[in-house]
Amino acid sequence: MRKCLRCEAEMVENLSMMAYDGGFGLDVREKGLFKGSLGKIRCAVCPECGYTETYIEDTQKLKDLTKKR
Ligand SMILES: [Zn+2]
């Protein structure tokens, strides 16, 4: 469970982030044209103040990446 950093209310999690006009979701990639996605960006929104936070659901690829360096 995520708590809002501002007002500590329970946040609504696992929401998708979509671009306005294209309908494309967002993900995070390593620098470089042909690198695969490191994970889809999810967001959580506070129902009290509207504060929105983004996170990556599965952090395993990021952990592998830090080991490589
Ligand atoms: Zn809040």
Side-chain angles (χ1 to χ4, degrees), residues 4-9 46-51:
C4 177
L5 295 176
R6 290 172 188 265
C7 59
E8 300 199 324
C46 172
E48 296 298 324
C49 70
Y51 176 77

